[in-house]
Amino acid sequence: MSDTVKYLLDESRIPKAWYNIQADLPKPPAPVLHPGTGQPIGPDDLAPLFPMALIQQEVSTEREIEIPEPVRDIYRQWRPSPLFRARRLEKALDTPARIYYKYEGVSPAGSHKPNTAVAQAFYNREAGIKRISTETGAGQWGSSLAFAGALFDIEVKVFMVRVSYNQKPYRRALMESYGATCIPSPSPETQSGRAILEKRPDHPGSLGIAISEAVEVAAQSDDTKYALGSVLNHVLLHQSVVGLEAMAQLELADDYPDVIVGCTGGGSNFAGIAFPFLGEQLRGGRKVRIVAVEPAACPSLTRGRFAYDFGDTAHLTPLVKMHTLGSTFTPPGFHAGGLRYHGMAPLVSHVMDLGLIEAVGLHQKPCFAAGVQLARTEGILPAPEANHALKGAIDEALKCKEEGVSRAILFNLCGHGHFDMQAYMDYFADKLVDQDYDPDELAMALAGLPSVAA
Ligand SMILES: *Cc1c(COP(=O)(O)O)cnc(C)c1O
C-alpha cells in the first residue's frame, strides 16, 4: 500500500535469536584489560559482577544467539514494536525523503531498555541471584530493570544520578512502584560515594560515579550481581531485536534505508537499530550510511579519545578501549540524562574507528525544537535523548530536499518523553541553555587517562 503509516509484525515474528556483530567484524575489537596487570581479563574476573551466561555472551563470536523462550514470552507484551512512516513530518518538512522511525516508547518503561533488562534479569534468575544493584541516569534504565526484577522476583537497588533524582521524581516513583529501591548518587552508602561527597557535598553526580557505587555493592556480596543498561557487548546484543524487526518491517514497506540515525549515550539503542544492517553490509549486502548523534556537551565520539579507560569514576571496572572523555569528566547538567556518559560502547567505538559509522554532536535546544515538531505532526513527544536522533534524521531529510533526492531515512525513536515534561516546560519557558562542555575539564580528564599500551 502506498499510504501505509505503520508496519506491524505479528507476535510470531519476534526474533528467535539476537544478532551479534562480533561474527562479522573485519577485525576483532581490542581485548578488555585487567587494571592491575594490564593483561586481558578472563571470564572469572567478571564472575563477581555478572552471571556466566552474560559473560559468555560478552565474548561470543557466534552470529546468532538464541533468545530464551521466557524472554520472548515477556517481549510479547510490547514486541514487535511498530515501525512508522513519518508521513506528516515529511509533509511539514516538505522533503522528498522517506522517513521511518522504529518506536521503542511502547515498552512498559517507555524506552528500548526493557529489551535487555528482561534478558539480564532472566539470566540472573537462572543463576540463582536474589539481588541486583545498578545505576541510572534519567531513570529509564532503573525503571526498566525494576520492571524486569518484579517479573523475575529479584530485588533491585538503583543508584540514581543526583541531578536526575531531583529533576525526575516521577521516574523514581515508577521504580518504587515496581518494587525497587532508589538512592541518589553520590550517596553515603558506599566508599566511592563517601569519597566524592567529602570533596564536594553538593556534587550533582554522574553515571560514572553511580556505576562505581553499584559495582561496589555487588562486589561485596555473593547473592548480589551488577547490571549495566548500556555499553557492554551483551547489552548491544539484546538490543539487536530493534534492528532485526525494522529489517522485516522495511521489507513489508518494500524499502531499504540509505541512512540510519540513532542517538548515542552508551551506544545500545544506536547499535540495536544499526548493527543488523551493518552486519548485512559487512557480509556483502547493501551499503548504508550510519550516523550516531550525541550531545555536543558530552561528545565522546566526536571529541573524545579512542583509548583504554575505566567505565566508572572510582576505577573499579576493567579497562576497555573506547571513545572516552576521561572517566572523571562531568558533563554540564543538560536534560538528556541518558546521554551524559563519559565513554562509548567498545563495539560502537570500534566500528567508528574502522570508519563504518559517522558521528555528529548537537546542542539540546534544536533537539527539543525537533521533538516539539514531531509532537505536532506525528503526535509522539520523544524523550530528550531520542530528540537527538530525531534532529539528526530531520537534518538528513532537509539535505535530501536541498539536493532534490529521495532517500530512505530510518531512525530509532528510542523512548517517549512523558516523564520528561519538566524539560519541555523549561524549553517552552526559554530556560534551557546550549551549554558546552568545559574544555579545561575535558583536558584534565583526558590527561588522567590510564597509561596502557593499546
Ligand atoms: C538510556 C537511554 C539512552 C542512552 O543509552 P544508549 O545505550 O545510548 O541507548 C537513549 N535514549 C533513551 C530513551 C534512553 O532511555
Side-chain angles (χ1 to χ4, degrees):
M1 262 180 297
S2 62
D3 57 352
T4 304
V5 165
K6 60 188 186 309
Y7 297 91
L8 299 175
L9 298 172
D10 185 78
E11 281 175 24
S12 66
R13 305 283 305 273
I14 295 171
K16 297 203 160 56
W18 290 299
Y19 166 68
N20 179 12
I21 195 155
Q22 298 200 65
D24 292 315
L25 291 171
K27 181 182 146 191
V32 176
L33 302 182
H34 190 285
T37 64
Q39 293 301 306
I41 60 163
D44 289 346
D45 294 305
L46 292 174
L49 295 184
F50 303 104
M52 204 40 82
L54 290 175
I55 296 172
Q56 280 162 359
Q57 291 182 359
E58 197 60 23
V59 295
S60 171
T61 52
E62 293 288 313
R63 183 171 291 122
E64 294 194 333
I65 294 177
E66 193 186 327
I67 305 177
E69 215 39 56
V71 174
R72 280 187 87 236
D73 250 359
I74 295 169
Y75 277 176
R76 272 175 225 278
Q77 188 77 31
W78 71 95
R79 307 215 69 83
S81 68
L83 178 85
F84 288 95
R85 170 87 185 261
R87 296 195 184 268
R88 278 185 298 270
L89 176 65
E90 289 170 16
K91 203 169 275 171
L93 296 172
D94 188 25
T95 173
R98 310 182 302 284
I99 307 175
Y100 298 90
Y101 57 95
K102 182 75 166 152
Y103 187 41
E104 291 295 307
V106 294
S107 83
S111 76
H112 62 290
K113 296 248 173 45
N115 297 333
T116 184
V118 168
Q120 292 191 47
F122 167 79
Y123 290 115
N124 273 287
R125 180 77 224 184
E126 289 284 283
I129 296 308
K130 303 267 172 18
R131 273 180 281 277
I132 300 180
S133 65
T134 195
E135 74 293 324
T136 199
Q140 287 271 19
W141 169 242
S143 36
S144 301
L145 193 67
F147 155 64
L151 297 183
F152 288 101
D153 200 18
I154 293 175
E155 261 179 57
V156 174
K157 184 170 188 161
V158 183
F159 291 91
M160 185 170 188
V161 177
R162 186 183 302 276
V163 283
S164 301
Y165 185 90
N166 294 329
Q167 273 173 358
K168 310 209 160 152
Y170 299 129
R171 272 283 165 202
R172 197 199 323 160
L174 182 60
M175 288 181 238
E176 287 165 358
S177 305
Y178 284 130
T181 318
C182 182
I183 300 149
S185 163
S187 83
E189 291 209 10
T190 65
Q191 190 121 32
S192 331
R194 286 191 295 273
I196 303 260
L197 287 174
E198 248 164 56
K199 280 191 229 146
R200 190 177 160 191
D202 67 338
H203 199 290
S206 71
L207 277 171
I209 295 168
I211 292 173
S212 297
E213 295 205 86
V215 166
E216 189 181 318
V217 165
Q220 279 167 356
S221 151
D222 281 345
D223 64 354
T224 306
K225 297 278 185 215
Y226 166 69
L228 189 60
S230 183
V231 179
L232 297 177
N233 301 348
H234 67 264
V235 179
L236 275 54
L237 173 80
H238 301 154
Q239 293 298 350
S240 66
V241 287
V242 177
L244 291 169
E245 286 176 7
M247 237 172 202
Q249 287 163 313
L250 282 167
E251 224 168 89
L252 293 180
D254 199 18
D255 214 338
Y256 200 85
D258 298 295
V259 189
I260 299 174
V261 185
C263 68
T264 44
S268 75
N269 89 83
F270 168 79
I273 197 156
F275 279 6
F277 291 93
L278 180 56
E280 192 138 293
Q281 173 187 322
L282 291 170
R283 295 191 301 276
R286 249 178 87 167
K287 188 167 162 42
V288 51
R289 265 186 68 223
I290 300 176
V291 183
V293 185
E294 61 184 11
C298 192
S300 53
L301 281 173
T302 52
R303 296 291 165 85
R305 198 170 293 161
F306 186 45
Y308 273 102
D309 196 8
F310 292 95
D312 71 321
T313 308
H315 299 176
L316 303 177
T317 69
L319 291 167
V320 292
K321 193 164 182 197
M322 60 180 175
H323 286 82
T324 179
L325 300 164
S327 63
T328 58
F329 178 81
T330 304
F334 59 86
H335 270 290
L339 307 182
R340 299 181 78 247
Y341 185 58
H342 69 271
M344 183 51 57
L347 282 173
V348 172
S349 295
H350 185 59
V351 296
M352 176 84 186
D353 187 55
L354 292 174
L356 297 169
I357 63 167
E358 306 164 27
V360 290
L362 297 179
H363 284 294
Q364 65 175 351
K365 279 206 275 190
C367 294
F368 273 98
V372 171
Q373 185 171 31
L374 194 80
R376 291 179 187 177
T377 49
E378 302 286 310
I380 297 173
L381 192 70
E385 294 85 0
N387 283 340
H388 289 72
L390 166 65
K391 175 65 173 134
I394 288 177
D395 287 349
E396 291 294 332
L398 292 176
K399 250 187 259 169
C400 288
K401 181 177 172 178
E402 246 173 60
E403 297 169 20
V405 290
S406 172
R407 291 190 198 101
I409 300 166
L410 168 66
F411 76 93
N412 197 359
L413 189 56
C414 50
H416 68 64
H418 298 178
F419 286 92
D420 305 287
M421 296 319 298
Q422 187 60 51
Y424 280 94
M425 285 161 69
D426 291 350
Y427 170 70
F428 289 125
D430 202 20
K431 283 192 204 153
L432 295 191
V433 277
D434 279 340
Q435 236 176 319
D436 260 311
Y437 61 88
D438 176 348
D440 292 337
E441 156 115 27
L442 177 59
M444 212 159 70
L446 285 176
L449 283 177
S451 48
V452 196

